[in-house]
Amino acid sequence: WSNRGEIPANGVDDDGNGYVDDQRGDDFVWDDRDPMDDQVHGTHVAGIIGALADNEAGTVGVAWQVQLMALKAFDETGSAAGADTVAAIRYALDNGAQIINASWGGTTRSRALDDVVAECAARGVLFVAAAGNNASDAAFYPAASPGALAVAATDARDRPARFSNYGRYVALAAPGDVILSTVPNSGVIELSGTSMAAPHAAGVAALVWSRHPHFTAEEVADVLRHTTDPLTTDRFLGSGRLNAARAVAVPSPLPRVALAVPPVLAGVVDVRGTASAADLAAYTLELGRGEFPTNWTALGDFAAPVADGPLLAGWNTAAFDDGVYELRLTAVKQGGFTARAQAPVRVRDVPLPSPLNNDIVRAGGEIELRGTVFGAGREHRLEWGPGGQPPVWRTDGLVAEPGAGDLVDTRL
């Protein structure tokens, strides 16, 4: 990429964008209009996205005909001021970037960074970010900022890379372990990190957009998320591992899917969300036990599209034991292309809200125990035990209130 509105080296801000002689981007560290990489990280990331093909350089980018805008916000040690990173993102926004790749970040959340990432989404720019290299599920920013597409890393065996972050903020994973790419002075080396995974996703996004320039940024992100290959793992790495071939084969926007459910479900509830497309064939709701279900129970199949409304009305949660589940929504459009959303939920039809956990009660005093047993035909037993992990459970000292029924084996 070059700034065609700028005449080089004339000392004038020809295009009126606030930067003088920024023909090749900008350097926000030294403020000198020269964004040359004086480390290796930025060039390596850029090569993964768009290194040229057929030049015997030893590597090629995912989208080798893409235009790359060079913006320098990190110094030779790999350090950056938060204000410089925000300024670089805003420059990209204001000067025509369609995709921004952020192979950097930290665990400290920034309001300014959140705001500029949200502005990217509002202005139709896809913001792709590395999920972090702490082997942790702690949020990493800007990947965890609302509106970012967070990318974790996998290795050559389709396993989670040993260093990769994971967690609910991750949208998908991509190769990030021992990746060969470019470095300054016409070299190539292997590096590892979610910094290498994110540009794979950014490159595929560029390929999808090149085939479908009418797609919105949200629709491109949907394609990346919903065309992945599944991963077998005990860590949450989003929808799966990036699949470029499947992504570029999508002919039209995928169904919009979203789940809007509270984290705890009890009694009879409406499952709300979105499953919509101009040519929607059907959508399915399923429930799986545990954080990483291998078996799913169908809650229902439906044909009519829903936009931010009840996907399933009057669902009786008492049909399932209390515990942790995954709720899964799958929408299929005519032609078989699918989109999927998941949300963690806890079914709690037998809560004991009073007393609270770790409440301190005066010895010899009386306390009120309050709770609910929801579901026809259920039995309940109220007991107490000493210690954090009681070896025995007892019923002495417990007295039922009038009308509450017996304490043990009461059928409701």
Side-chain angles (χ1 to χ4, degrees):
W1 175 87
S2 63
N3 186 354
R4 296 182 180 181
E6 197 72 21
I7 299 172
N10 69 347
V12 177
D13 180 13
D14 300 287
D15 61 356
N17 69 351
Y19 296 89
V20 175
D21 292 337
D22 57 322
Q23 188 192 21
R24 294 289 183 183
D26 206 77
D27 180 347
F28 297 90
V29 179
W30 305 112
D31 195 28
D32 61 6
R33 313 288 93 84
D34 179 12
M36 184 62 188
D37 184 8
D38 51 13
Q39 213 232 17
V40 297
H41 186 272
T43 305
H44 199 274
V45 169
I48 294 170
I49 297 173
L52 293 173
D54 299 325
N55 58 3
E56 299 184 356
T59 186
V60 62
V62 175
W64 55 85
Q65 293 183 331
V66 75
Q67 291 186 355
L68 294 171
M69 180 185 292
L71 300 173
K72 180 178 174 60
F74 287 74
D75 64 22
E76 69 279 4
T77 70
S79 299
D84 289 342
T85 62
V86 171
I89 295 169
R90 190 164 299 283
Y91 181 101
L93 271 174
D94 293 340
N95 288 277
Q98 286 183 274
I99 303 167
I100 296 175
N101 183 86
S103 285
W104 49 268
T107 55
T108 301
R109 190 169 188 175
S110 161
R111 174 66 180 271
L113 197 53
D114 278 357
D115 286 348
V116 77
V117 173
E119 187 176 347
C120 289
R123 292 171 62 174
V125 173
L126 180 60
F127 189 90
V128 181
N133 302 328
N134 301 323
S136 166
D137 63 352
F140 189 83
Y141 298 95
S145 296
L149 187 78
V151 186
T154 55
D155 64 17
R157 297 184 180 181
D158 257 358
R159 301 173 303 189
R162 64 195 181 284
F163 50 79
S164 180
N165 280 10
Y166 51 94
R168 292 287 171 179
Y169 70 94
V170 173
L172 73 161
D177 190 39
V178 193
I179 303 301
L180 184 71
S181 186
T182 52
V183 292
N185 301 315
S186 303
V188 293
I189 64 172
E190 293 176 340
L191 292 177
S192 297
T194 56
S195 285
M196 285 67 249
H200 279 92
V204 174
L207 293 178
V208 172
W209 235 328
S210 72
R211 289 177 61 85
H212 305 288
H214 61 284
F215 277 17
T216 66
E218 193 171 25
E219 288 168 345
V220 173
D222 284 345
V223 169
L224 266 60
R225 277 193 296 260
H226 300 314
T227 56
T228 56
D229 288 343
L231 295 170
T232 302
T233 174
D234 60 355
R235 297 179 179 182
F236 192 82
L237 295 181
S239 61
R241 194 255 301 130
L242 179 73
N243 185 318
R246 292 183 64 194
V248 298
V250 172
S252 58
L254 294 174
R256 299 290 303 144
V257 290
L259 286 165
V261 293
V264 178
L265 302 177
V268 177
V269 299
D270 290 346
V271 178
R272 298 182 62 85
T274 295
S276 64
D279 53 352
L280 184 73
Y283 72 87
T284 302
L285 278 168
E286 300 168 289
L287 194 70
R289 185 66 184 262
E291 293 183 339
F292 302 96
T294 55
N295 297 305
W296 296 86
T297 299
L299 302 180
D301 298 304
F302 310 89
V306 176
D308 192 22
L311 297 164
L312 171 61
W315 175 40
N316 189 341
T317 61
F320 296 87
D321 292 338
D322 281 16
V324 174
Y325 293 86
E326 285 283 319
L327 189 62
R328 185 167 74 178
L329 166 65
T330 304
V332 184
K333 62 185 296 183
Q334 302 293 340
F337 290 93
T338 65
R340 180 169 287 164
Q342 282 186 212
V345 295
R346 179 181 292 274
V347 173
R348 186 176 292 168
D349 285 323
V350 189
L352 190 67
S354 177
L356 295 173
N357 189 32
N358 293 325
D359 270 2
I360 298 175
V361 181
R362 181 174 58 86
E366 292 185 354
I367 59 171
E368 182 180 59
L369 308 179
R370 301 184 63 85
T372 299
V373 179
F374 175 82
R378 281 191 165 174
E379 297 179 352
H380 77 270
R381 176 187 297 270
L382 187 61
E383 301 168 298
W384 66 272
Q389 295 181 322
V392 295
W393 293 88
R394 301 163 57 179
T395 59
D396 54 295
L398 299 176
V399 179
E401 286 290 312
D406 297 330
L407 291 169
V408 181
D409 294 336
T410 298
R411 184 171 291 277
L412 301 180

